[in-house]
Amino acid sequence: MSYVVDFSDVSTVGLESSPVADALAGLRANEARYFSTKYGHTFVTVPAAQAPEVLAWVTELLALRDVVVSSPALEVSDLEVEGIRWAHVFYENGLAVNALWTLAEGGKRAVGLKLSDGMEVPEELGAFRFARQRSKLAGTIRGSYFVVKGDHPPPALGAWAHPPMT
């Protein structure tokens, strides 16, 4: 079942099993606010089990840097706006991973890593440096990223995802 993320009324729906559920919900709401403000797009998530192709793609991109997330994935989001595919995975330990893939040849392609307020840096991300950012919705977000090289195109948009916005 899909969940439309409301950044005005932050909810832990779908994230209850996380030890940092409130902070992770704030991080998810922060992403929803970004897409609403920048693109006028509604941010929708589904349980990770309903979108295994999205989770597999993000897992493939993380493997490019030898990152294997040990925590279970709780939710994913997949959307396309202005010629950019965005996939998000929210993990039980409080980690949020986003993959940005510009569909045009030679465009930006990167993976972002965000740590929820209150979580420790997972061992698998020990090689990354994290910058801090304050958020009214998420508290302190620690983030890092890496550029994706090579050809690793995203899967087709799932039936549950909103249609592409141009």
Side-chain angles (χ1 to χ4, degrees):
M1 176 150 205
S2 64
Y3 172 69
V4 176
V5 180
D6 182 355
F7 57 88
S8 299
D9 184 21
V10 180
S11 171
T12 60
V13 168
L15 308 174
E16 298 90 351
S17 66
S18 173
V20 291
D22 290 336
L24 185 56
L27 186 55
R28 180 179 65 182
N30 189 66
E31 296 295 326
R33 182 178 59 198
Y34 171 80
F35 283 97
S36 177
T37 303
K38 182 160 177 93
Y39 300 109
H41 198 282
T42 303
F43 194 77
V44 178
T45 61
V46 296
Q50 288 184 14
E53 68 286 349
V54 176
L55 181 58
W57 181 57
V58 171
T59 300
E60 173 189 343
L61 296 176
L62 290 170
L64 297 172
R65 289 292 179 99
D66 297 322
V67 173
V68 177
V69 179
S70 59
S71 182
L74 298 177
E75 288 191 330
V76 301
S77 179
D78 190 22
L79 55 108
E80 183 180 320
V81 289
E82 297 184 7
I84 303 170
R85 279 292 295 280
W86 293 86
H88 291 76
V89 180
F90 298 93
Y91 293 91
E92 189 173 59
N93 65 354
L95 173 66
V97 175
N98 67 69
L100 170 156
W101 190 273
T102 303
L103 298 173
E105 194 64 39
K108 292 181 183 178
R109 295 168 178 174
V111 172
L113 309 163
K114 294 181 181 177
L115 307 176
S116 292
D117 203 3
M119 76 173 283
E120 297 295 323
V121 176
E123 185 179 317
E124 58 265 28
L125 301 179
F128 291 89
R129 288 190 168 168
F130 289 89
R132 295 180 186 275
Q133 171 188 352
R134 287 286 302 151
S135 164
K136 288 181 182 178
L137 294 169
T140 300
I141 300 170
R142 290 163 293 157
S144 190
Y145 76 98
F146 63 89
V147 174
V148 175
K149 296 182 180 175
D151 196 27
H152 307 277
L157 272 175
W160 56 269
H162 282 296
M165 292 185 66
T166 54

